[in-house]
Amino acid sequence: MTGPQGFGTEERERVQTLLGHEFRDAELLERAFTHPSWSYENDGTRGNERLEFLGDAVVDLVVAELLYVAHPDWAEGELTRARRALVNNRTLAAHSRELGLGQWVRLGRGERSSGGAGRDRLLGNLFEAVVGAVYLDGGLHVATRFLRSTFGDAVEAQGELPVADPKTRLQEWSVASQGVFPDYETVGDTGVENDGLRFRVEVRIGSEVFGAGEGRTKRDAEQSAADAGLERVGGGV
């Protein structure tokens, strides 16, 4: 971007070509690329947060439809699992990188100095905000066309159902057989950043501990604990 004034004509044309849509509302396009940190420092608004909220719903809907059409023999659970594999912050951030969206995002000084434009969380949210803007300006058919071009190959490539992660598999077993959701509790933290065994987590089903695990992040430790739980209940869940 050109700074606080937003897109120049050449930049706007490049972005519109990339998205396959010429915006009627140029301000809407700029808002999609305006991170809340920039808005907080400059105009007191919320930046692209509302567009991100809307885009999240549009992505879910369109990808669900693409999977529904591409895999008519899949059951609901299989479709849900595939959508989770395709629509998450990591994959959305990857699409942002492939499209080069991060080069145009407006960031506040603090976010920019800390390398915010390269973070998965920011890039995934940016992708959703852009989809939200495309949807508002061009309608669902335009948003679907853009998302089909972005996700189409991946949707068709889901020839084999992606294997669910351990937490999902343990949850499915727990709800089906015990009628309750697993509960994860952090019981240890070394406090050492980048320690591969920093966090220790236990997973309980009801009042009983079913497994424990360690990892660099809480998420890693929870997945490890879920793995241990799956081993206890038979491993093949």
Side-chain angles (χ1 to χ4, degrees):
M1 279 201 171
T2 59
Q5 299 305 312
F7 282 112
T9 300
E10 182 179 345
E11 290 170 311
R12 185 181 300 113
E13 290 177 354
R14 288 174 59 195
V15 174
Q16 291 180 148
T17 298
L18 189 66
L19 301 179
H21 174 64
E22 184 174 346
F23 275 73
R24 294 171 294 178
D25 184 349
E27 190 277 332
L28 185 63
L29 176 62
E30 290 198 11
R31 195 189 319 155
F33 284 88
T34 302
H35 189 261
S37 63
W38 187 94
S39 295
Y40 177 79
E41 293 179 5
N42 291 274
D43 59 20
T45 66
R46 294 184 177 274
N48 62 9
E49 283 184 343
R50 286 169 54 83
L51 287 173
E52 174 198 333
F53 166 80
L54 180 61
D56 175 63
V58 175
V59 172
D60 266 353
L61 171 63
V62 172
V63 172
E65 182 182 3
L66 293 175
L67 286 166
Y68 183 89
V69 172
H71 304 285
D73 56 330
W74 282 8
E76 177 190 0
E78 296 169 320
L79 292 167
T80 299
R81 192 182 304 172
R83 185 178 61 182
R84 285 175 183 161
L86 291 172
V87 182
N88 56 66
N89 193 257
R90 186 182 305 107
T91 59
L92 297 186
H95 289 310
S96 273
R97 289 191 178 94
E98 290 169 4
L99 295 168
L101 300 182
Q103 65 185 297
W104 292 297
V105 66
R106 287 194 288 193
L107 300 174
R109 290 185 298 273
E111 189 72 31
R112 185 168 58 250
S113 64
S114 63
R119 294 176 182 167
D120 278 1
R121 182 69 178 172
L122 185 148
L123 290 172
N125 292 346
L126 174 61
F127 184 88
E128 290 175 339
V130 168
V131 171
V134 170
Y135 168 77
L136 283 180
D137 195 78
L140 183 59
H141 69 288
V142 176
T144 299
R145 183 179 63 202
F146 168 65
L147 290 169
R148 184 180 289 114
S149 70
T150 305
F151 283 95
D153 290 343
V155 167
E156 295 295 336
Q158 296 281 321
E160 294 184 6
L161 184 64
V163 177
D165 63 85
K167 285 186 66 177
T168 299
R169 290 163 59 204
L170 184 62
Q171 177 175 302
E172 291 173 349
W173 177 86
S174 180
V175 171
S177 65
Q178 308 296 311
V180 296
F181 287 88
D183 181 52
Y184 294 85
E185 180 182 357
T186 302
V187 296
D189 179 359
T190 66
V192 179
E193 192 172 353
N194 294 322
D195 178 3
L197 301 177
R198 174 176 174 175
F199 293 100
R200 180 172 178 79
V201 169
E202 291 180 346
V203 57
R204 290 180 171 81
I205 298 177
S207 60
E208 189 174 355
V209 175
F210 268 62
E214 297 171 316
R216 185 178 62 83
T217 66
K218 288 184 180 180
R219 175 179 172 78
D220 291 342
E222 288 174 355
Q223 295 286 10
S224 179
D227 257 331
L230 288 169
E231 286 295 327
R232 173 172 172 172
V233 301
V237 176

